[in-house]
Amino acid sequence: DAKTTQPPSMDCAEGRAANLPCNHSTISGNEYVYWYRQIHSQGPQYIIHGLKNNETNEMASLIITEDRKSSTLILPHATLRDTAVYYCIVRVGSGGGADGLTFGKGTHLIIQP
Amino acid sequence: NAGVMQNPRHLVRRRGQEARLRCSPMKGHSHVYWYRQLPEEGLKFMVYLQKENIIDESGMPKERFSAEFPKEGPSILRIQQVVRGDSAAYFCASSPLGGGGRAKNIQYFGAGTRLSVL
């Protein structure tokens, strides 16, 4: 799986959009970008994933650059409950590679009231 | 549709005892993964199982740790002769059986079992 780089921590004001960047310059053509988060003391939670097109669901939006070397997770209206460690993971998606996830250090997002 | 169920949520063992952690995957899921999170550290993959088969155990310590996912019943992570260094949160995840579709490789996690070794 390709390596990812994320800032160790970020702050965001409650109600604002939180934009979490991730660099994955060695991503391969068949690798997807997955985002998970872990709220303190809980199990990781799947957020969203994508290959090359931008994706949106009820939780977040994922913007992937055209060269696929980086992406941004957007939480449109952050709340205090969004305070968590966010992990960007690159791995082979549908069609193969159902192996374990490699979690890096992630970004500790702190939502300020 | 119930999520991934892990039990017990908290487990206390004395050094040298055995710890058994159980994981029931989501309904319809036949892939199970175990991860360990040591205090103040990140999540580390341990083992990947399908029904009655270990697919990838590259993250499992070579001694004292074993895992199974029988045809019937939950997946079990077993730690023999526990030591203080085994104290950690152990998370189980499950994902759907293959067959294509975007949901194929999404892993859904349980709440974890916190093991404390005295």
Side-chain angles (χ1 to χ4, degrees):
Chain A
D1 295 337
K3 180 178 170 60
T4 62
T5 304
Q6 300 178 251
S9 65
M10 292 182 63
D11 287 349
C12 178
E14 188 178 18
R16 297 283 195 172
N19 296 279
L20 292 90
C22 179
N23 287 322
H24 32 79
S25 58
T26 61
I27 192 169
S28 300
N30 63 344
E31 288 182 314
Y32 285 66
V33 180
Y34 288 77
W35 283 83
Y36 284 77
R37 72 179 182 183
Q38 186 177 25
I39 296 170
H40 183 61
S41 297
Q42 298 182 22
Q45 178 187 23
Y46 164 79
I47 302 173
I48 198 167
H49 76 288
L51 181 62
K52 54 184 178 181
N53 297 322
N54 298 337
E55 301 287 346
T56 296
N57 63 20
E58 65 279 3
M59 289 183 68
S61 295
L62 174 60
I63 309 297
I64 302 174
T65 58
E66 192 168 342
D67 63 6
R68 303 209 320 123
K69 293 182 185 299
S70 65
S71 59
T72 301
L73 178 75
I74 301 172
L75 307 178
H77 304 288
T79 70
L80 297 178
R81 287 175 292 182
D82 292 321
T83 292
V85 179
Y86 287 76
Y87 298 97
C88 169
I89 299 169
V90 171
R91 65 196 294 267
V92 176
S94 299
D99 50 350
L101 297 172
T102 301
F103 288 86
K105 296 185 183 301
T107 295
H108 187 192
L109 176 66
I110 300 172
I111 306 301
Q112 305 283 0
Chain B
N1 188 13
V4 177
M5 303 300 292
Q6 291 188 248
N7 65 83
R9 291 293 309 277
H10 300 275
L11 181 62
V12 179
R13 286 287 178 265
R14 296 189 181 280
R15 281 179 296 171
Q17 292 184 320
E18 178 179 285
R20 281 183 178 243
L21 288 64
R22 289 178 291 278
C23 170
S24 296
M26 289 178 69
K27 185 177 180 181
H29 288 192
S30 62
H31 300 232
V32 165
Y33 307 79
W34 285 94
Y35 295 81
R36 178 168 67 174
Q37 188 168 33
L38 294 167
E40 307 304 322
E41 293 191 17
L43 287 140
K44 301 294 184 188
F45 165 75
M46 299 180 74
V47 63
Y48 161 39
L49 310 102
Q50 293 181 21
K51 285 284 187 181
E52 301 184 278
N53 286 304
I54 296 175
I55 307 301
D56 180 0
E57 55 182 349
S58 59
M60 285 278 271
K62 299 301 181 191
E63 297 178 348
R64 303 187 297 106
F65 284 72
S66 62
E68 63 177 8
F69 188 16
K71 186 176 181 181
E72 302 291 337
S75 175
I76 306 289
L77 180 67
R78 181 182 178 206
I79 311 171
Q80 295 178 288
Q81 299 175 318
V82 295
V83 301
R84 288 216 174 102
D86 297 332
S87 296
Y90 292 83
F91 292 99
C92 169
S94 72
S95 68
L97 180 65
R102 287 174 52 79
K104 177 181 176 182
N105 280 321
I106 297 171
Q107 294 183 21
Y108 298 89
F109 285 78
T113 293
R114 274 126 189 103
L115 172 65
S116 296
V117 180
L118 304 179

